[in-house]
Amino acid sequence: MFGFEDTRCDPSDTLCNAVLDWTDNQRLANASDILIGKPLAIISLLLLMMVVRWVLHRLVDRLVLRAEDGVLPDRMSRFGLRGKAAQQATAQDLAASTRRVQRAKTMGDLLKSVLTGLLIAVFGTMVLSEIGVNIAPIIASAGIIGIALGFGAQSLVKDFLSGIFMIFEDQYGVGDVVDVGEASGTVEAVSLRVTRLRDLNGTVWYVPNGEILRVGNMSQNWSRAVVDVAVAYGEDVARVTRVLKELAHDLWEDDDFHGIIIEEPEVTGVEVLGPESLTLRVLLKTAPMEQWGVARELRQRVKARFDHEGIEIPLPQRVVWHREDTAHQTPTGPTPGGEEPVES
């Protein structure tokens, strides 16, 4: 009736024996594996694939939610921000958060697509095996291709994996100023494989993500201007410290720097006792990427105030020993051996 040979069911074939018991028809029992068993097996594989896909996609969604929160909090401190400055800080936080959410969702969609493709490949091979297709050549070919890609494109895979984690963790983004070791500058583009930087001289650097071992980001949350001021040993350190505190406080109170300097500046005191001068340090917590402009402004004010107060900024000094030919030197020379110290 179905074109199958009237052979006895294998004792291990549960479905065939069950159909034979129900119908007492050997041909129908022999056909049951193709008419019922294989379709059920294929449907079970497809259902299992959908369940595994749903679970993996849920895990990706949780990773995306964590990536949207970021690895760092929003702006660390808004002490002293008010009015328009506070609004600008909120706008900057909103823009950074929006960028982080968009990048996290993009990476989530990419990972979901990759996982779906892998599941289709794996379960598709299992379905072909259930149908009766010999999958050994397929598996062997996939293994050879995988080995070839593993040896030939291992650096490419490394770049892609590093790029995925960098984007998920929001280590840096377009517009950030970063130091990645061999190159530093402003980030112009970030992809899964390569990061493009432009340094201070205008040179564009293309850095493979797999080659980035550490990242110094000078643009996240807040920055700090560190200004070292050298004065002569003859100056009164307490007086110089008081002058620096006044200058830093005036800069902090300046309306032009509200929202740029986000905390009261700090004068830490003497940091270095050098051979020609002693160095005092001023620390100013600033908005991201504003530390250089604030440091330049403070140095300019320090120079003008020191000139007004008569505080000496020492110049480098050298001691030069002048040697003359002793054969042409008179007995009344300044020093034995013809050496005369000259200080400049």
Side-chain angles (χ1 to χ4, degrees):
M1 180 173 59
F2 296 98
F4 295 94
E5 296 181 1
D6 190 8
T7 57
R8 302 292 297 174
C9 294
D10 190 276
S12 62
D13 193 342
T14 305
L15 179 61
C16 180
N17 290 313
V19 173
L20 182 60
D21 293 338
W22 293 340
T23 63
D24 199 24
N25 188 322
Q26 185 63 53
R27 292 192 175 185
L28 185 59
N30 293 338
S32 62
D33 185 51
I34 294 178
L35 296 178
I36 301 176
K38 291 187 180 299
L40 283 178
I42 294 174
I43 293 174
S44 300
L45 288 174
L46 294 177
L47 290 176
L48 179 60
M49 184 187 74
M50 297 301 295
V51 171
V52 173
R53 178 179 177 274
W54 180 83
V55 172
L56 292 178
H57 281 201
R58 290 282 295 176
L59 291 176
V60 171
D61 289 337
R62 294 186 63 179
L63 289 175
V64 168
L65 290 176
R66 293 182 61 183
E68 289 177 357
D69 294 335
V71 295
L72 290 175
D74 292 334
R75 185 177 296 275
M76 294 291 293
S77 174
R78 290 188 175 85
F79 178 75
L81 298 185
R82 50 190 179 270
K84 184 178 179 181
Q87 295 176 0
Q88 291 176 349
T90 303
Q92 291 176 355
D93 291 344
L94 180 60
S97 177
T98 302
R99 183 197 71 183
R100 186 167 58 242
V101 169
Q102 291 175 345
R103 292 173 59 183
K105 288 183 177 179
T106 300
M107 292 306 304
D109 293 339
L110 175 62
L111 283 181
K112 288 180 180 179
S113 299
V114 172
L115 291 174
T116 300
L118 291 176
L119 290 176
I120 291 175
V122 172
F123 283 91
T125 304
M126 298 172 68
V127 169
L128 291 177
S129 177
E130 287 293 334
I131 294 175
V133 177
N134 185 11
I135 63 173
I138 299 177
I139 297 176
S141 300
I144 294 173
I145 294 174
I147 293 174
L149 290 176
F151 281 104
Q154 52 184 336
S155 61
L156 185 63
V157 174
K158 180 181 178 182
D159 293 340
F160 272 94
L161 291 177
S162 299
I164 288 174
F165 283 106
M166 286 178 182
I167 293 176
F168 254 120
E169 296 170 0
D170 193 31
Q171 296 180 12
Y172 54 82
V174 175
D176 289 347
V177 178
V178 299
D179 182 350
V180 294
E182 296 295 330
S184 61
T186 303
V187 178
E188 290 191 339
V190 180
S191 66
L192 288 179
R193 195 188 70 84
V194 69
T195 296
R196 190 175 78 221
L197 305 174
R198 187 179 296 274
D199 66 13
L200 187 62
N201 297 322
T203 304
V204 177
W205 295 86
Y206 294 88
V207 184
N209 293 330
E211 300 298 323
I212 300 177
L213 300 180
R214 87 289 189 280
V215 178
N217 193 327
M218 292 170 269
S219 310
Q220 284 187 338
N221 298 115
W222 56 273
S223 301
R224 174 171 284 139
V226 180
V227 179
D228 290 334
V229 180
V231 296
Y233 275 99
E235 299 294 339
D236 184 356
V237 175
R239 174 171 173 251
V240 175
T241 302
R242 184 180 67 254
V243 170
L244 290 177
K245 288 182 178 180
E246 292 176 359
L247 286 171
H249 183 76
D250 291 342
L251 190 63
W252 154 254
E253 292 290 340
D254 195 328
D255 291 338
D256 294 336
F257 290 90
H258 279 164
I260 296 178
I261 302 176
I262 59 179
E263 281 188 4
E264 177 78 30
E266 176 186 1
V267 179
T268 60
V270 178
E271 291 289 334
V272 179
L273 296 174
E276 301 163 350
S277 63
L278 54 86
T279 301
L280 290 86
R281 176 164 294 175
V282 184
L283 302 178
L284 303 99
K285 193 172 183 179
T286 71
M289 295 191 296
E290 297 290 345
Q291 65 269 33
W292 301 291
V294 170
R296 286 191 292 267
E297 177 66 22
L298 180 60
R299 292 190 188 100
Q300 181 176 344
R301 297 190 181 196
V302 167
K303 174 62 169 63
R305 181 68 177 273
F306 277 17
D307 289 344
H308 177 73
E309 297 284 344
I311 299 176
E312 180 185 357
I313 300 178
L315 297 174
Q317 300 183 10
R318 295 177 299 170
V319 175
V320 180
W321 291 89
H322 180 64
R323 183 183 297 274
E324 296 181 356
D325 189 359
T326 56
H328 300 85
Q329 190 176 25
T330 60
T332 59
T335 57
E339 295 182 353
E340 179 180 358
V342 180
E343 184 174 347
S344 63

